[in-house]
Amino acid sequence: MHEMNFICRSAQTPAETGQVFDGLMNPPTMPLQAPGGAKEVLLHACCAPCSGAIIECMLANGLCPTVFYYNPNIYPYEEYARRKAESIRHAAALQLPFVDGDYDRDTWQEQIRGLENEPERGRRCLSCFRMRLAETAHYAHAHGFSVFATTLASSRWKNLQQITVAGQHAASLHPGLVFWTQNWRRGGLSMRRSKLIREYGFYSQRYCGCEYSLRTSPFKTSHT
């Protein structure tokens, strides 16, 4: 693991971070409270586009997210590196702590062995979520977080029930740890997500991440 430590300052404005993006000063307001009243949240980030509105909402509600990037499913490595670089850029712009997890590709492939031909939202995806959120929960427990969440829950392409099952199972392995089952698609966050992609100029990928999702993507001939 590699950690990049910035100063987490809740409810920062773009001017405070030195970043100026049209419209960021007036984000939609959605009241938000982490489980147990926690202020520090470990946020598993699948990518910057899915993180933008969630992080903005957390900061606006006085929360301090630490971005945890652990996504060994992403293929090829060049795509993984590109998505990670965007997440680092986003965290740095907001002065948020960023933890770079390992690209443990071999372990991921072993995790989904036998499920290669499963459809999207099938058993392979659940197995993938279990691995990624188990690692997130392990880090959260080891570093004193009481709550963790994931930006995976913001995507309409993902099965929200699978994510909840995987997150709650991961949390159950560590006494006192809670998986935040917030539906990040509501409260105007989906629309805000699209706007932030444009305003930050995020690289916006065209498939979920793994080679199997790429195989079924209409954009599989052009994914860089």
Side-chain angles (χ1 to χ4, degrees):
M1 299 286 178
H2 176 67
E3 300 182 20
M4 298 175 62
N5 293 313
F6 303 102
I7 300 173
C8 184
R9 299 167 61 199
S10 297
Q12 286 177 287
T13 67
E16 288 177 315
T17 66
Q19 303 290 323
V20 179
F21 301 106
D22 180 39
L24 281 177
M25 298 298 289
N26 296 293
T29 301
M30 184 177 81
L32 198 64
Q33 183 174 24
K39 294 299 183 184
E40 302 279 341
V41 178
L42 184 67
L43 180 65
H44 168 263
C46 58
C47 62
C50 287
S51 303
I54 295 175
I55 289 176
E56 181 182 67
C57 187
M58 285 184 173
L59 292 174
N61 282 276
L63 303 179
C64 184
T66 290
V67 179
F68 184 75
Y69 192 86
Y70 178 73
N71 302 292
N73 59 304
I74 299 175
Y75 172 90
Y77 180 78
E78 292 76 15
E79 177 74 13
Y80 167 84
R82 188 172 187 180
R83 296 188 193 189
K84 183 176 74 172
E86 284 293 79
S87 286
I88 291 174
R89 178 170 74 90
H90 183 216
L94 296 174
Q95 299 182 30
L96 296 178
F98 182 92
V99 181
D100 182 3
D102 298 327
Y103 186 63
D104 193 358
R105 184 70 183 171
D106 291 341
T107 301
W108 182 84
Q109 289 182 313
E110 184 61 32
Q111 175 81 9
I112 57 90
R113 190 176 303 281
L115 302 174
E116 293 87 348
N117 294 318
E118 282 282 311
E120 287 297 290
R121 299 190 179 189
R123 291 183 299 160
R124 183 184 66 248
C125 293
L126 176 58
S127 185
C128 177
F129 298 154
R130 282 183 178 271
M131 176 181 174
R132 291 153 78 188
L133 295 183
E135 185 66 19
T136 307
H138 175 76
Y139 185 93
H141 179 72
H143 291 81
F145 291 91
S146 61
V147 175
F148 73 102
T150 179
T151 64
L152 289 166
S154 71
S155 173
R156 68 183 187 276
W157 304 112
K158 300 290 186 294
N159 184 311
L160 192 58
Q161 183 178 7
Q162 287 184 336
I163 295 167
T164 298
V165 167
Q168 290 180 335
H169 177 263
S172 72
L173 302 177
H174 305 281
L177 185 62
V178 177
F179 175 65
W180 192 355
T181 57
Q182 177 75 26
N183 187 338
W184 300 107
R185 303 171 191 176
R186 297 179 177 176
L189 294 187
S190 289
M191 291 182 62
R192 186 62 178 165
R193 174 189 186 277
S194 299
K195 187 171 184 179
L196 288 176
I197 289 173
R198 297 190 298 272
E199 291 178 346
Y200 275 96
F202 284 142
Y203 162 64
S204 187
Q205 61 274 5
R206 293 181 170 184
Y207 65 103
C208 174
C210 74
E211 59 261 50
Y212 309 108
S213 65
L214 175 59
R215 182 179 60 195
T216 59
S217 170
F219 303 100
K220 61 185 176 182
T221 58
S222 178
H223 59 84
T224 58

